[in-house]
Amino acid sequence: MTKSIAPSIEVSEAKKEDVQPIRSGDLTASVAQTEQATGLGRTTIDKLMRDGTLVRKKVGRRTLITVESIERLVGAKVA
């Protein structure tokens, strides 16, 4: 029995559309919000967090990135 790949792709795309944009006044953003705001992929964001370019804060199991570090990276306000 084979499964179609298309439904999983549709689910993946739907999840990315559900991401709320970074709002004015937010101090942190999720990794998904950072991906959306910068246009970078997860692997690149992980690398930037490891080298300290993006400042990561762990809250329980969640990884949040400071909006200040995102703005410094892109050179403009993101919210």
Side-chain angles (χ1 to χ4, degrees):
M1 197 164 38
T2 56
K3 288 185 175 182
S4 173
I5 295 174
S8 65
I9 292 171
E10 291 173 19
V11 169
S12 173
E13 290 173 0
K15 286 182 181 179
K16 288 191 180 216
E17 291 173 6
D18 292 343
V19 175
Q20 296 294 318
I22 300 170
R23 297 179 308 242
S24 180
D26 284 352
L27 299 176
T28 59
S30 68
V31 173
Q33 287 174 310
T34 305
E35 287 180 49
Q36 186 180 57
T38 62
L40 299 173
R42 176 64 192 237
T43 304
T44 303
I45 290 172
D46 284 342
K47 180 181 169 242
L48 292 169
M49 286 189 293
R50 277 194 308 275
D51 74 16
T53 303
L54 289 174
V55 178
R56 141 184 55 201
K57 302 290 181 187
K58 291 292 285 183
V59 180
R61 293 174 60 173
R62 290 189 69 193
T63 299
L64 299 173
I65 301 167
T66 64
V67 172
E68 180 182 341
S69 68
I70 298 167
E71 291 174 342
R72 200 171 34 247
L73 174 69
V74 297
K77 284 215 158 280
V78 291

